[in-house]
Amino acid sequence: MKITKMASLSVFFCTCFVIATGLGNAEKVFKVGDEFGWQEPGQNSSAVYTQWASRNRFHVGDSLSFEYKNDSVIEVDKWGYYHCDGSKPTVAFNNGHGVFKLDRPGPFYYISGTPDHCMSGQRLLIEVMGLHHHSPLTATPPAGQQAPSPQPSSGVFVSVTLGSLSTLLMGTLIALLWSLP
């Protein structure tokens, strides 16, 4: 009976470890525009790519997949994005399918290689989050006022990362297995 419980615990902890490690390292491939794909938007849908980007969260390691016909996709800098200028591309594809790996945090800019399409809204700006993206928890006091001094804390600040959670799970599993008769 004791071995059955221990075996069940072992399977549980191993499953948790595999799931936690898999979720932490999951890289996604996003099809730009979903079913709409990469094409010139109609007159009433010029914000289609802005709306698409706002519905997704991009992380370092993810990829963007552009699928299109009779067009192209160009990665450009900020200036090229806002001026629909693809004359100095970072990377360009014109073969109907382009995949861009998001290899750093920060903004990425994409436009159609056809200037009229870009002016009609066929351009994409995304913000890639870093590996540990946290919003700041501090506020700036209004001008001319000093921030109050921090109060002493009786609590302990604990930061849990995937690595520390995995280590904890593995340590618990080893301790449980070690205690078997």
Side-chain angles (χ1 to χ4, degrees):
M1 181 80 169
K2 188 174 184 178
I3 293 176
T4 305
K5 287 182 180 178
M6 200 52 72
S8 296
L9 275 174
S10 298
V11 169
F12 172 74
F13 281 112
C14 287
T15 303
C16 289
F17 176 75
V18 169
I19 290 171
T21 325
L23 291 176
N25 297 329
E27 295 177 353
K28 294 181 183 176
V29 177
F30 292 90
K31 181 182 175 193
V32 174
D34 294 327
E35 299 82 35
F36 187 72
W38 183 246
Q39 62 181 316
E40 182 180 18
Q43 287 181 332
N44 296 328
S45 59
S46 62
V48 65
Y49 297 110
T50 303
Q51 293 166 354
W52 177 84
S54 69
R55 289 190 307 266
N56 293 291
R57 295 182 69 96
F58 307 99
H59 298 276
V60 173
D62 291 344
S63 298
L64 297 180
S65 174
F66 290 81
E67 295 179 15
Y68 50 91
K69 294 179 183 172
N70 302 318
D71 207 332
S72 61
V73 60
I74 302 172
E75 183 179 351
V76 295
D77 61 11
K78 184 177 182 177
W79 194 92
Y81 173 83
Y82 285 105
H83 294 92
C84 290
D85 182 1
S87 64
K88 296 178 185 173
T90 305
V91 180
F93 289 100
N94 63 1
N95 60 358
H97 183 80
V99 177
F100 294 86
K101 183 81 166 181
L102 304 174
D103 58 357
R104 60 172 172 75
F108 284 78
Y109 304 93
Y110 303 95
I111 64 171
S112 168
T114 306
D116 291 343
H117 291 192
C118 178
M119 294 295 209
S120 297
Q122 190 180 358
R123 55 184 172 177
L124 174 66
L125 163 60
I126 64 163
E127 183 71 30
V128 176
M129 295 184 285
L131 297 175
H132 301 286
H133 184 77
H134 299 287
S135 58
L137 297 176
T138 58
T140 305
Q145 294 182 0
Q146 288 186 340
S149 299
Q151 298 298 315
S153 172
S154 60
V156 177
F157 177 73
V158 178
S159 175
V160 178
T161 62
L162 181 60
S164 62
L165 181 62
S166 299
T167 304
L168 176 66
L169 287 173
M170 288 304 292
T172 304
L173 175 62
I174 290 169
L176 287 171
L177 291 175
W178 190 271
S179 67
L180 283 176

